[in-house]
Amino acid sequence: MANHVRRQLREAIAAAVTGLTTTGTNVFQSRLYPFSVNDLPCLRIVSDGDQVQAQTVNHPYTQMRTTQITIEARAIATQDLDDTLDQICKEVEIAISSAAGIAKSMYLLGTRIEMEALGEQPIGVATMIYSKDLYTASNAPDVVL
């Protein structure tokens, strides 16, 4: 049995953004633990859930899942922290726009940039929010129609 479509989407996005010039292989999915300086710059990919709408009335019904994926770009403070975050965002946006398979045709809803001064050095975080409509049957949340 295949994985849930949210997981398939998250994994496809992770594959699409692994190996980018700035973040390299520092790509994490749903990471709960703090990042170390050695992890930065990096990307964290999280499924934020989905809104589901029935498209048919007979069981099993077709449903449209509007799934949100958050991609956090994290970098350690330098003189050009904003420039570094913008570069990471550029690389991610290009990679996502050319992704194939389940990750094809993702929509960027917006980006939020923040600075965190909780650790030894300030860290910048650019949070990109993407959306994707996926169609599944109500009895098969692991198969995209």
Side-chain angles (χ1 to χ4, degrees):
M1 176 180 285
N3 296 317
H4 195 284
V5 293
R6 278 191 307 270
R7 179 175 174 182
Q8 292 178 45
L9 181 58
R10 189 175 60 247
E11 290 174 347
I13 291 169
V17 298
T18 296
L20 299 178
T21 302
T22 306
T23 53
T25 59
N26 291 340
V27 177
F28 306 98
Q29 296 182 54
S30 303
R31 185 179 175 129
L32 296 175
Y33 302 103
F35 294 93
S36 73
V37 173
N38 295 332
D39 294 327
L40 303 176
C42 70
L43 297 172
R44 181 173 78 146
I45 301 164
V46 179
S47 300
D48 290 332
D50 49 23
Q51 297 291 320
V52 180
Q53 294 180 342
Q55 301 294 298
T56 59
V57 293
N58 297 325
H59 184 75
Y61 60 91
T62 298
Q63 52 193 13
M64 180 181 71
R65 297 173 171 272
T66 301
T67 303
Q68 284 196 347
I69 300 287
T70 298
I71 302 174
E72 287 181 358
R74 293 178 170 265
I76 199 157
T78 65
Q79 289 180 338
D80 302 323
L81 183 55
D82 287 334
D83 294 343
T84 301
L85 292 173
D86 286 341
Q87 179 64 31
I88 295 170
C89 289
K90 173 186 162 186
E91 292 171 11
V92 167
E93 290 178 39
I94 291 169
I96 295 297
S97 72
S98 59
I102 194 171
K104 184 177 181 179
S105 300
M106 296 281 299
Y107 292 96
L108 178 62
L109 299 177
T111 303
R112 182 179 63 249
I113 297 176
E114 303 173 86
M115 302 298 164
E116 297 177 355
L118 303 175
E120 293 177 17
Q121 288 184 285
I123 294 174
V125 181
T127 304
M128 296 166 274
I129 301 170
Y130 279 88
S131 180
K132 171 73 178 189
D133 292 336
L134 298 169
Y135 292 86
T136 63
S138 59
N139 63 348
D142 57 340
V143 178
V144 177
L145 301 177

